[in-house]
Amino acid sequence: MMKRWQFVKRLAPLMAMMVLVLAACGREDLSTLNPQGPVAEEQFGLMKTAIIIMGLVVVVVFAISLYVIIRFRRRPGDKTIPKQVEGSHKLEIIWTVIPIILLIILGVPTVQSVFNLAKDYRDDPDAVKVIVTSHQYWWEFEYPELGIKTAQELVIPTGKTISIEAKTADVLHSFWIPSLAGKIDTNPGGNVNFMYFSAPKEGVYLGKCAELCGPSHGLMDFKVKSVNPDSFDRWAAALQEPVALPSDPAIAAAFESKCLTCHAVGDMGGPAFPNLTGIGSRESVGGILVNVDADDQKYDHEDTVYNNLHKWIKDPEAVKPGNLMSNQYDLTEEEIEGIAKYLSELTLDYE
């Protein structure tokens, strides 16, 4: 028993140190403690209020406990029975009223925030409407007023309110952009949820699925790209322009017969899987393979657009286990290289 206790005593400091070290790991834009928009800031403010109240309660309770332990400890030789305070109306009123006051202090801003964040901007003419549809394991973004669809990268105009209508095409998922807004579930059965957010400055914000939905749940990432309103208008217009097939007839035939049956490019193809229009301009491939210049690669999941596309097309199962594209078509190495090159050059000039 003593050996086991000695082992615990040695292990505890090591575990505590690991917790402190690992607490600093992770991406800055994946933290709710670093709000980048008004919705996230309001939620963070509510969180701070709750933590301050709970912290004060803990400090006061521990201070009173320490005072009582020291002040009323039994002295040597003292065998008297302490004064009994059971049934004291004054004490009972005090420890009943104080929690009520604390709940009111916390409850009022909580209720205000709940109603404020539940505002419906679907009928607001100044808001940008987006229908978000979750799939295993990717995200579809439709702009009904603009007549366009895209995938994996939600492009929004800076400073505009974004009205989200969230639903799912299969199982339960959860739409979450930690630095911009809280999460909202996309529920099966035709249920549709609503939320809104905005990004006051240009930038790229990471989004994730926050509901366990299968083997690649942790890889179901997407990006929110905030650009100035003029760039957004150019992006929406560029997304609707015609797109030519690959110049190589053999690659064009393979792309048309093996890719366009599911994916869309321009006005060609099917809507079942991610729209590939402008994929060469996106921040990532498959939401998880980050596109960078050849000289900027730091991590295994970062590479050039071409290399990421080649990796994804050649073996999507290795990138996202359980995805529906795996083993769908038998492409030759020449076809994979040609299609990856074609898609990597499929860019939108809008910034």
Side-chain angles (χ1 to χ4, degrees), residues 88-102:
S88 171
H89 295 302
K90 182 187 294 184
L91 289 177
E92 289 178 354
I93 290 172
I94 289 174
W95 61 53
T96 301
V97 170
I98 290 177
I100 292 175
I101 293 173
L102 293 176

Side-chain angles (χ1 to χ4, degrees), residues 13 22 88 97 101 120 186 189 191 212 222 227 286 288 311 329 345:
L22 294 175
S88 171
V97 170
I101 293 173
D120 189 350
T186 60
N191 176 263
L212 182 61
F222 64 95
V227 298
I288 195 68
K311 185 186 300 182
Y329 299 105
E345 296 171 351

Side-chain angles (χ1 to χ4, degrees), residues 94-218:
I94 289 174
W95 61 53
T96 301
V97 170
I98 290 177
I100 292 175
I101 293 173
L102 293 176
L103 286 174
I104 291 173
I105 294 173
L106 180 59
V108 170
T110 299
V111 172
Q112 288 177 336
S113 289
V114 167
F115 280 94
N116 184 45
L117 297 176
K119 289 179 181 177
D120 189 350
Y121 283 90
R122 285 177 292 168
D123 297 326
D124 188 336
D126 295 325
V128 178
K129 282 77 172 177
V130 181
I131 299 174
V132 174
T133 305
S134 56
H135 303 257
Q136 288 180 308
Y137 301 95
W138 59 281
W139 298 90
E140 178 181 70
F141 305 115
E142 178 182 359
Y143 302 74
E145 295 180 334
L146 302 176
I148 56 177
K149 283 185 181 181
T150 187
Q152 297 298 85
E153 190 166 289
L154 176 60
V155 180
I156 61 172
T158 302
K160 286 276 192 177
T161 298
I162 312 301
S163 175
I164 297 293
E165 177 182 323
K167 57 184 182 178
T168 182
D170 39 57
V171 301
L172 175 65
H173 302 274
S174 191
F175 180 77
W176 186 34
I177 317 163
S179 58
L180 292 180
K183 61 191 74 169
I184 188 170
D185 288 344
T186 60
N187 301 313
N191 176 263
V192 176
N193 286 327
F194 303 93
M195 68 177 290
Y196 75 92
F197 67 90
S198 62
K201 59 182 180 180
E202 296 181 30
V204 178
Y205 306 89
L206 183 60
K208 295 188 74 71
C209 176
E211 185 70 38
L212 182 61
C213 55
S216 285
H217 156 70

Side-chain angles (χ1 to χ4, degrees), residues 28-82:
E28 189 178 66
D29 58 354
L30 257 184
S31 174
T32 55
L33 305 181
N34 183 33
Q36 300 294 308
V39 172
E41 287 170 356
E42 182 168 348
Q43 293 169 336
F44 183 55
L46 189 62
M47 190 189 308
K48 288 192 294 185
T49 301
I51 290 173
I52 289 171
I53 291 175
M54 289 185 288
L56 287 173
V57 170
V58 169
V59 169
V60 171
V61 169
F62 271 81
I64 292 174
S65 299
L66 187 62
Y67 170 76
V68 170
I69 290 171
I70 296 173
R71 173 70 177 80
F72 298 103
R73 72 188 185 279
R74 186 183 291 275
R75 269 63 175 181
D78 184 3
K79 299 184 180 298
T80 60
I81 298 176

